[in-house]
Every structure is written in C-alpha cells, then in structure tokens.
Amino acid sequence: MTKLKTGIGRRSFIKSVSMAGSGLIIGFNWLACKREVENAGVEEEEYVELEMPEEWFELNGYLKVGENGVVTIYSPNPEIGQNVKTSMPMIVAEELDVDWNNVVVEQAPLNTDIFTRQLAGGSQSIRQGWEGLRMAGATARQMLLIAAAKQLEVSESELTVDKGIIKHKASDRTVNYGDIAKAASELEVPEEVELKKNDNFKIIGTSRKNVDGRKIVTGQPLYGLDVDRDDMLIAMIAQPAAFGMQFKSMNADKVKNMPGIVDVFTIDTYPEDMEKEWSDTAAFSKLAVIVGNTTWEVMQAKKALEVEYDLKPDLVKKIQILEKSAGMNDATGMESTDRHKSLMADIGAKKAEVVRRDGDPEKAFKNAAKVIERSYTCPFLAHNCMEPMNFFANVTDEKVELLGPIQTPEYAEKSINKRLGYKLEDIDIQMTRMGGGFGRRLYGHFLVEAAVISKKMGKPIKLVYSREDDMTNGVYRPAYHVTYRAALDENNNLTGFHVNAGGIPESPLFANRFPAGAVDNYLAESWALDTNISVGAFRAPRSNFIAGAEQSFLDELAEEMGQDPIQMRLDMLKRAENDPVGEKNDYDPSRYAVVLELVRDKSNWSDQSAGKARGVSAYYCHNSYVAQILDMSMDDNEPVIDKVTCAVDCGIVVNPDAAKNMVEGGTVDGIGHAMYSQMTFSEGIPQQENFDTYRLIRHSEAPKSIDVYFVENGIDPTGLGEPPFPPIMGALANALYKATGKRFYNQPFINELNSGTKTVKG
Amino acid sequence: MAEFNININGKDLTVDADPNTPLLWVLRDHLKLVGTKYGCGIAQCGACTVHMDGSAVRSCQLPISTVANNEIVTIEGLSEKGDHPVQKAWLEHDVPQCGYCQAGQIMTATALLKRNPNPSDKDIENAMYGNICRCGTYTRIKAAIKTAAKSQSA
C-alpha cells in the first residue's frame, strides 16, 4: 500500500467547519439514487429518496457523515459536462469505502482554503485531483476506524470495512459509519494514511450514473440561466457591431419608457488602470446596459436602443509581421477573413523563428530526391455553449454574491477584488452546472459585467446574453496556418521534416511532439500575427488544429512512400523509442504505438471492402494518447460516417461509461468543427451570429456508431475531456480522401467539398 | 400587457404579458418553469421544445397570444415522477454531458415516438435534426430513443 503524509501542502485536511454554514445555494435535500430492489423475483431499478440525517459530522473539507450513515461528498471543480461532479466524488467514496448509494454529492463553493485548483480546464481535474481526493476519503476512513476501534475496545488492525460498515470479525460485531461519525469527527486528522492498491478498487473503474442525471431529464433548475430571486432584475448588454469599434454615444430616452424597463446606462467593465487577470479577456470593455423586469422586455428594448460606435483609435496602427518585415498598414483596424487568409499565406511561406532544429534539415532538403509540401488552414471558431453566457450578481455595500457558470472561479474572485475593491472574504462565488464550457467560460468578463451592473443598480440582477451576443462577443479559437515539408531520398525514405506554423494571434506549434524525435533532420518554425479580435482557449487549444493537419500530412506522406499509414507511424515511433533524435521529446512512443495497434486490431483495419473509405489518425495531448479510425462513404456528395473506432490511453478510467461518453462527444465535436463550422469576419463584423448561419454538426451528420476501447495500464489518470477531439479531424480528412479522391487542406472541409474543383492530389 | 388563459402541464393558468411574448419566456420568467431552455431564439437549436397538443413546437417562436386553448406540456409535466419511458431511457443510457439541450431533445423524441412508435434510424435522424447538442451526445440520444421505443411497445 502507498503511505502518504497528509500534512504536506494539503490545506484541505485541516478540519473545516466553515463549509457547513457557508450558505450553499445549490442545496440538495432530495437525491435521485439508484437502488436495486427485489420485486416478485424481478430485479428492477427504482429511484428512491435518501433520508437525510438530522445531524452532519465533518471529517474534512471534502465530506461529512450523517448519523444515519448518509455521506455528503463535495465536488470541488466546476462541472461543464465533463462529468467531474460524479467522478471526483467517486474517487473520495472509493477510499472512504462507502456505499455509493448512500452518497449525496454537492457542488462545493469556491474555497481556496480547502480545495486546490477549482478550475475546469486543460483536462486536469481528475489528474490533479487524484491524490487529494483519495487522501480525503482515506483520511476520513482512518478516523472512522480509529473511533470504531475505541468503541469496540479492539485494535484497528482487527477491523475490516465494507460499504460503510466496520466489522470486528472475531466477535462478530459491527459499527456503521453513522454510529461512529460523531466520535470520528472529534479526532485529530491522522498524519499518515494508507491508500488502496488499485486491485482493491470497488467504485473506481465501475460505471456510475451522472449524479445530476435525474434532475436534467426532469427539467430541474441547475444552470446559471435558471437562477431566480424575488427582487431580481434582468440585464442585457449592447456591444459594437464590429471588432475594432468602441462605444461612442446612445439615445436611451425612448427605451427607458418602454414596458418593463428600469434603467439604461453604460459600464466600463475593465477600466484602463485595472490590473487584469489572464481570465479577463473580453471583446469589449465599454458596453450599453439595459435593465428591466423580464428577459423578453429587455430584449425588445435592446433592439430599439440607438447606439453609436466609432473606430477604436489605438487600432489605427501598423501591424508588424515579424520585426524584420516591412509591416502592413492596417489603416482602419477592421479585419476581414479574406485578408487574414492572404496574410497567413504570405508569412507562412517565409522563414520564421526557429523553435527546434535537429541534424541538418537544410542539407536534407537540398539533397532530397523528392520534397512534399502541403499547407493547412482553419478558421476562427465560436465556442457556442448551448447555454449562452450569463451570471447572477448581488452586490451590496457589505458583500458580493455571485452565482453562475464559470470555469475559473478563483481568478474571477481576484478580478472582482481588483475591479470593485471588495476583500476576497467578502466575495462569495457559487458554481452552477454549466450548459457547456469548451474554454469559453474560462474568461469571466460576463461575471465582472454582472457585478458592475448589480453594484450600479444596488439590486440583484441576472445578466443574460442573447445567442447573438454570445456568438459575436466571442473569445474565439484563433485562425491557424501550417506548412509541412518532407524530404524523401531516392528510395522513398524520410530524410527531413519541416514544420512552419503560425496563426492569428498565436502559433499552434508543439515543436517537441511527434514526429520530432523520429526524424534525423527536423526543423520547427513559429510565427504569429496581431489581431484586435478577442481569442482564447477552445477545447484542446492549438492541438485542435495542428493534430488534424499533421495527421493529414503523415497520411499523404505514407502514400508517397508507398507504406501503410499505420505501419509508417509505428515504424517512426519505434525509431523514436529505440534511438530518439533530440532530448526534449515530450511523448512516450510506446504508449503512442499501443493505441495505434489497439485501434488497428479493433477496427479490422485490413478490411478494405468496396465502398468503405477509412482514415486513421493518432495524437498525444493533455497527457493522453488517442488513435481513431473513421469509416465513411459518400451519399450524393454528402459524407455519411458509418463508424468511428477509438483507442484511448488516459491511464486509470474512473467512470468507464461516462468516459466513453466523453470520447464519443469529443469525436462528434471534432468531426463537426472540422467539417462544418467557421466564424468569419468582414470589416470587423462577425458574419455568423446565430445557428441559422453558424453551422454545428447535427444528428444525421454524426457517426452512426462509435466504439471506444481504453488501454488498461494502471497508470494514474490523465486527461480525457480534450484528447479525443483533435485527432479525429485528421482521420476525417484522410477518410474523405479515400471517399472522394481529393485531399482536404482547409477547414471547414464542407467548403472544399462543395467547391468541387480544388485540392486534387498532386 | 394583456391577460391570457393557458393550460400548462394540465393546469389552467392566467398570465399577464405582452401578447408578442414568446411562450418560452412566459414559461421561464412568468411561470418559473425553467426546464425549457433558451438556446437561440430563432427556432434553430431545439433547446426550447415543448408539446402543443402533443406535437413538438419551438416555444421561442410561439407568441403567447397564439397559444390560446391548446394544451402545453413542458419537460416538467412530461411525467409526474420523471419516469416517462423516454426519461428512463435517457437515464439508462446516461445520455447527458452538460445536459442543457437534453430537455428539448427529450420533448422532440417523445413527440416522435407518439406519432411513430417504431422509428427507423432515418426517422430518428430526421425528427431530431432540429435539436443541436454541442457536447455531441447524438449516438446516445439515438440509442435511448430506440430503448424507449422498445419499452413502450413491450
């Protein structure tokens, strides 16, 4: 067993009584809990209400035990659909050795004294929470055992635990967790605890249903947009129509008299002298605000409000393209997608900052018998969470109460502290379940806006973005461009590899990922262009483009080399494992190879039946490895995706069916964005503002089936929310080539598919 | 403002609202029935789907003045105890990720099964086309609809 110190850097094990009275908004006194009941010989599932205890006893900040044995486990991290609200408490429950049917889960409030990293992002919640969650459960279990041993007047080593029942076998006596909870809560936290061996897991590795599932399918209030208070007003914003513009003036008189309207004014969300957090990225700072009684009334007033905007003066400037180049005069500051494309193509053809160089790539290309060069691009993307941005705020003279969907509550608290001057202890942020995140809710400007509006009104308000506000006030996925070059000798051996990657306004390059380490002569270059369009993290940042591009290029390269695309990758990985080039390679070639081999076996790769077009892809990101094979055909120029087979190595899988759901979702999401989605701009104006023009994947376009296989290797959990998303774009492009005879280089592929002329293999 | 008598989830109610107010906002803001979701406001995403006389309609495009005597059922009224075969199938397949669109998905699916108890894959895809799921739970939604169809015919 692993013995771990509980005291080292683990604030969470300081017993905390503050949790009990911290005013949880999302209180649960009702629980949908699954229990199997015997009924006339037929086993069926029945949902029963758990009886709540009369008294709770806190054993540490993560959990409390009731006198009747019911256990509340606090889920520390924000829930955006990645299912941590179920899987994080499962990890605690495992080490606590409690019956999962006796567990109530509550969303923990933001509390940095107890919890570390209350953030949804980077596929890190389970990975970074793993040890702390286990120790929380194990510590409490240990305390319950010590208390039971005392009561039974035996030594702890004579006791066993199963599902919350402590047993002394020799005397055939038992003590329930509930019976001993009070005594246990009065003990000191042990200095050392033992964690279970993986072999002894009873909950981890078994599929458990979403703890909010029943509330979701019955329409219970769960989301920020569902928040309601008696005296609450609704607020909406009006923003400039174009990036590069700013608020100038408005005529609010007419609107102020409209039915249900309470006030119209402007706010400056982030004054220039405010020190911003990284999470304070926002499209616009100065906004017109309309406050009223109901959402519909405010929406009508927003439509009628006359606002004038003018050019932002600091955007009338020269945009530098690398320091050495002449620069382009961006006279208006109003950007367009067409211009972005030509700028990226120009700079992508030039030399850029060298990030990694192995061997002598210039010589390899000079001596090559054949050079293959291909360029790939992708557009900006809007996150399009199904629940538009919103937040509830109640700012009084004494305190700030905030309630809603936020991926970064800890940073938001700091932003409020800086913006409104309240002390951190007077700022209370509560997290609701989120109707999607995908990175968009890392940027909490809407929370700050809500707080500033509430302070101005002196009343509780709920800020609501319309879909149009949400889509055009984005923190978008950047546009990227990458050119790959491969040098082949006369025997079609790969002798050199060159990647030149950049974007607006960041480069998607990961210089030390595969195929770095597998090629003797390797060159990676990086560049970036300025923009005034707000950008940020979007599910698997940078990987969400470069994976698909790289995997498409490798597919084309394998064809040029006359090799099977999987075998070619495996051979390269073998090279990287046995005789790696360079020292900074940041992937494990053997784990990479395992997912490729697994997906090859499970998909019956050698089956190349007529009419079946198959594409393969594999990628490593967020500490996990994913390989996918996509099977498709064309039906009247429409892609029909029959099946996707996924092999995933994310270490130990906590909740297998939910993990499978995540892989399925990432796969559908990746196909959708590569195939259909784009956010384009004309003179700074977003050209898509709702789902009539912004195309998201729909039911009939999704794969008919998705098979998911996890590698079982007992390694501590790694990321899962993001890793299945990037590689599928490559598998899709490669399958599309087999299905149509055309290579696809520019996302969304639907444009190239419909153009019918471009990108013939060559 | 005007008074409207409406029937929601079997109850006769009176609401005072602007005649153009979409049913969606009457449900959410006036009646505090927030299970019906706002997604796009232009009938493109399906998050606001409710039943009007048994058919799936987009409540964001339905002015309260046109609802009149039609019977409206929302996700809250689909079943008394959350045990409608479609809801049970959704739980069995553990469909939701973020869950925000699922009430609308369930309402569209329920209306489909009412008029077509044994839908083919194609029928399901066509009927569900108007309901977007950004998390990508489409394959599970289809499986859950098939399970619900089976349990209803059993």
Side-chain angles (χ1 to χ4, degrees):
Chain A
M1 286 200 201
T2 325
K3 278 209 175 191
L4 285 172
K5 297 274 182 203
T6 57
I8 310 162
R10 300 223 163 261
R11 292 173 293 173
S12 42
F13 297 100
I14 300 162
K15 273 197 287 179
S16 159
V17 286
S18 65
M19 288 286 292
S22 66
L24 279 175
I25 304 296
I26 318 158
F28 284 63
N29 51 14
W30 180 90
L31 172 78
C33 128
K34 200 174 101 170
R35 183 182 295 173
E36 285 174 0
V37 290
E38 209 70 42
N39 181 12
V42 182
E43 215 176 40
E44 63 174 53
E45 290 170 1
E46 189 178 277
Y47 285 89
V48 293
E49 281 185 36
L50 261 189
E51 204 167 305
M52 286 298 112
E54 287 173 8
E55 209 173 346
W56 290 109
F57 303 99
E58 291 230 356
L59 297 194
N60 59 51
Y62 284 80
L63 64 97
K64 58 187 181 185
V65 181
E67 91 286 337
N68 65 350
V70 171
V71 176
T72 292
I73 301 178
Y74 297 101
S75 184
N77 285 27
E79 173 63 63
I80 56 175
Q82 81 282 47
N83 207 35
V84 289
K85 195 171 171 185
T86 305
S87 52
M88 292 185 104
M90 279 173 70
I91 299 168
V92 178
E94 175 68 67
E95 293 287 350
L96 183 61
D97 256 328
V98 68
D99 184 349
W100 182 247
N101 287 342
N102 264 344
V103 172
V104 185
V105 172
E106 284 186 19
Q107 178 71 58
L110 175 65
N111 190 330
T112 51
D113 289 337
I114 298 175
F115 306 110
T116 49
R117 199 184 184 276
Q118 288 183 280
L119 188 150
S123 297
Q124 300 280 310
S125 294
I126 297 293
R127 180 169 175 251
Q128 298 210 20
W130 178 243
E131 199 172 86
L133 293 162
R134 292 180 72 186
M135 284 173 60
T139 311
R141 179 184 184 272
Q142 185 69 17
M143 289 160 75
L144 288 157
L145 271 176
I146 293 168
K150 230 180 243 173
Q151 183 173 310
L152 296 172
E153 296 180 321
V154 297
S155 84
E156 290 160 51
S157 60
E158 294 172 63
L159 299 174
T160 56
V161 191
D162 186 38
K163 291 189 171 178
I165 299 164
I166 300 166
K167 193 169 182 182
H168 184 245
K169 220 174 182 180
S171 63
D172 199 24
R173 288 177 298 168
T174 58
V175 180
N176 293 333
Y177 274 4
D179 303 335
I180 209 74
K182 183 172 189 293
S185 70
E186 288 159 0
L187 297 173
E188 288 297 312
V189 176
E191 284 187 10
E192 237 177 29
V193 284
E194 285 182 355
L195 298 182
K196 283 185 180 177
K197 278 186 180 166
N198 296 359
D199 295 352
N200 295 330
F201 287 160
K202 295 172 191 161
I203 296 174
I204 290 171
T206 63
S207 294
R208 307 288 166 154
K209 305 284 189 201
N210 186 331
V211 294
D212 280 342
R214 195 169 166 76
K215 289 192 164 196
I216 291 168
V217 304
T218 54
Q220 304 301 304
L222 279 171
Y223 304 91
L225 216 53
D226 301 342
V227 172
D228 184 48
R229 293 288 172 83
D230 283 345
D231 51 351
M232 180 184 88
L233 295 169
I234 301 292
M236 294 189 82
I237 55 156
Q239 69 191 42
F243 285 89
M245 300 197 90
Q246 64 179 9
F247 178 91
K248 184 185 175 192
S249 65
M250 68 176 171
N251 178 3
D253 295 346
K254 193 169 70 182
V255 167
K256 275 185 179 168
N257 295 322
M258 285 177 72
I261 298 307
V262 178
D263 206 351
V264 181
F265 51 87
T266 59
I267 58 166
D268 195 5
T269 315
Y270 296 111
E272 270 182 24
D273 57 353
M274 179 185 159
E275 185 195 333
K276 286 161 79 173
E277 297 290 330
W278 67 269
S279 54
D280 286 323
T281 301
F284 306 100
S285 181
K286 192 161 186 186
L287 300 161
V289 177
I290 308 105
V291 181
N293 295 324
T294 67
T295 316
W296 179 249
E297 287 167 325
V298 177
M299 280 179 169
Q300 300 319 296
K302 177 170 147 66
K303 268 186 210 158
L305 184 67
E306 292 166 11
V307 191
E308 278 193 54
Y309 302 101
D310 57 9
L311 291 178
K312 232 176 147 182
D314 60 357
L315 288 170
V316 184
K317 63 172 186 181
K318 280 182 190 277
I319 289 185
Q320 294 293 318
I321 300 177
L322 302 182
E323 284 173 9
K324 292 170 202 159
S325 72
M328 301 281 288
N329 192 358
D330 195 341
T332 65
M334 312 293 274
E335 300 177 35
S336 297
T337 297
D338 287 347
R339 181 120 181 279
H340 282 162
K341 281 183 183 169
S342 62
L343 281 172
M344 289 200 295
D346 287 350
I347 190 171
K350 292 173 186 164
K351 286 190 190 306
E353 181 198 350
V354 175
V355 183
R356 175 165 169 163
R357 181 198 299 274
D358 296 323
D360 191 342
E362 286 81 3
K363 191 174 161 197
F365 279 93
K366 199 179 154 202
N367 295 338
K370 198 186 323 180
V371 172
I372 324 272
E373 178 177 324
R374 300 286 183 270
S375 294
Y376 303 80
T377 69
C378 71
F380 285 83
L381 290 176
H383 293 78
N384 290 329
C385 303
M386 289 311 291
E387 179 193 17
M389 299 305 114
N390 67 86
F391 229 85
F392 170 86
N394 185 15
V395 179
T396 63
D397 290 343
E398 292 77 36
K399 63 176 287 203
V400 179
E401 183 196 358
L402 293 157
L403 170 61
I406 181 78
Q407 291 179 246
T408 49
E410 196 172 334
Y411 292 95
E413 190 181 53
K414 290 179 193 162
S415 300
I416 294 296
N417 164 259
K418 286 174 185 162
R419 177 61 177 85
L420 295 178
Y422 290 75
K423 291 184 209 143
L424 290 182
E425 57 264 36
D426 294 330
I427 302 165
D428 178 28
I429 299 181
Q430 305 280 343
M431 295 166 261
T432 53
R433 186 179 187 86
M434 283 177 251
F438 312 105
R440 180 62 182 88
R441 290 182 163 106
L442 293 166
Y443 308 99
H445 58 88
F446 44 86
L447 173 152
V448 180
E449 291 159 10
V452 172
I453 294 166
S454 174
K455 182 150 201 305
K456 179 141 183 154
M457 293 299 295
K459 283 196 170 161
I461 63 104
K462 182 169 67 180
L463 173 68
V464 178
Y465 274 36
S466 69
R467 173 55 61 192
E468 290 80 6
D469 295 334
D470 187 283
M471 206 178 283
T472 60
N473 186 327
V475 185
Y476 304 108
R477 194 280 299 272
Y480 297 121
H481 180 288
V482 62
T483 299
Y484 287 104
R485 292 167 71 225
L488 300 176
D489 67 15
E490 58 278 7
N491 297 318
N492 269 342
N493 295 311
L494 178 65
T495 54
F497 195 91
H498 178 199
V499 50
N500 175 309
I504 304 173
E506 62 166 17
S507 169
L509 180 71
F510 290 97
N512 298 321
R513 285 188 185 166
F514 184 76
V519 190
D520 286 322
N521 304 298
Y522 173 90
L523 178 65
E525 293 175 284
S526 186
W527 51 267
L529 289 170
D530 285 341
T531 182
N532 59 50
I533 296 167
S534 43
V535 301
F538 185 110
R539 192 178 200 169
R542 305 183 298 287
S543 301
N544 61 33
F545 164 67
I546 201 89
E550 169 200 297
Q551 293 293 309
S552 299
F553 184 67
L554 289 182
D555 200 72
E556 202 163 342
L557 190 55
E559 190 181 39
E560 288 289 342
M561 293 162 72
Q563 293 189 19
D564 171 78
I566 295 182
Q567 194 54 51
M568 181 200 73
R569 287 169 172 85
L570 289 173
D571 291 344
M572 290 174 79
L573 288 163
K574 183 72 57 193
R575 164 73 204 275
E577 187 180 0
N578 295 338
D579 180 22
V581 181
E583 284 166 4
K584 288 183 178 170
N585 306 324
D586 67 358
Y587 59 96
D588 179 337
S590 60
R591 290 177 76 181
Y592 228 126
V594 165
V595 290
L596 267 165
E597 286 163 353
L598 183 60
V599 83
R600 180 170 66 178
D601 292 348
K602 295 294 183 185
S603 68
N604 192 17
W605 173 247
S606 56
D607 173 19
Q608 300 286 348
S609 311
K612 196 174 187 180
R614 322 191 78 181
V616 65
S617 179
Y619 201 65
Y620 163 75
C621 68
H622 302 88
N623 313 98
S624 293
Y625 300 80
V626 175
Q628 289 154 322
I629 288 175
L630 183 146
D631 299 349
M632 65 174 294
S633 55
M634 295 300 290
D635 179 11
D636 197 19
N637 209 38
E638 293 283 327
V640 177
I641 298 166
D642 302 310
K643 187 177 171 183
V644 178
T645 311
C646 309
V648 181
D649 175 0
C650 59
I652 293 168
V653 178
V654 175
N655 192 0
D657 187 54
K660 187 171 174 281
N661 198 351
M662 193 57 13
V663 178
E664 292 164 2
T667 299
V668 172
D669 195 17
I671 293 169
H673 281 95
M675 193 74 218
Y676 303 111
S677 303
Q678 60 180 341
M679 170 55 74
T680 58
F681 299 88
S682 177
E683 295 298 310
I685 302 169
Q687 296 299 289
Q688 294 76 27
E689 56 174 30
N690 208 321
F691 296 128
D692 51 346
T693 48
Y694 195 108
R695 195 165 166 191
L696 287 176
I697 191 168
R698 289 174 183 268
H699 276 268
S700 57
E701 295 151 349
K704 306 302 172 201
S705 71
I706 302 170
D707 290 347
V708 181
Y709 301 91
F710 291 103
V711 175
E712 289 179 28
N713 55 16
I715 295 170
D716 284 354
T718 52
L720 190 61
E722 289 161 287
F725 178 64
I728 193 63
M729 302 181 188
L732 173 65
N734 299 337
L736 272 168
Y737 166 64
K738 293 283 184 185
T740 64
K742 287 198 300 182
R743 289 282 177 187
F744 287 75
Y745 300 105
N746 303 294
Q747 295 181 17
F749 299 144
I750 192 75
N751 293 348
E752 286 183 332
L753 189 64
N754 291 338
S755 74
T757 52
K758 289 171 68 182
T759 63
V760 176
K761 179 188 147 196
Chain B
M1 301 291 259
E3 280 200 352
F4 296 94
N5 297 316
I6 51 174
N7 184 289
I8 311 275
N9 298 333
K11 284 183 200 152
D12 289 319
L13 303 166
T14 304
V15 290
D16 190 20
D18 179 285
N20 292 322
T21 311
L23 175 62
L24 168 68
W25 295 111
V26 171
L27 292 171
R28 291 187 58 86
D29 282 359
H30 296 250
L31 302 174
K32 313 297 181 193
L33 289 169
V34 294
T36 305
K37 300 303 187 202
Y38 167 64
C40 70
I42 58 166
Q44 290 292 315
C45 79
C48 69
T49 306
V50 299
H51 293 173
M52 184 157 79
D53 291 341
S55 296
V57 294
R58 309 295 188 226
S59 65
C60 73
Q61 290 297 296
L62 204 63
I64 189 64
S65 59
T66 65
V67 173
N69 295 317
N70 301 297
E71 285 178 14
I72 301 294
V73 174
T74 71
I75 186 72
E76 292 94 340
L78 190 61
S79 63
E80 217 169 285
K81 293 178 176 171
D83 56 0
H84 187 284
V86 174
Q87 289 169 316
K88 283 169 81 169
W90 243 252
L91 290 170
E92 188 186 325
H93 289 272
D94 215 12
V95 172
Q97 285 184 30
C98 86
Y100 190 80
C101 73
Q102 298 296 346
Q105 305 273 2
I106 288 170
M107 297 310 279
T108 304
T110 311
L112 161 70
L113 290 175
K114 206 167 181 180
R115 59 167 204 276
N116 181 356
N118 281 303
S120 66
D121 282 17
K122 203 88 195 158
D123 293 338
I124 294 173
E125 287 168 15
N126 289 339
M128 302 303 295
Y129 189 84
N131 286 75
I132 294 173
C133 174
R134 170 70 177 82
C135 299
T137 63
Y138 295 132
T139 48
R140 281 185 189 233
I141 288 172
K142 192 187 272 180
I145 291 173
K146 287 181 177 178
T147 296
K150 254 184 223 161
S151 76
Q152 279 185 328
S153 65

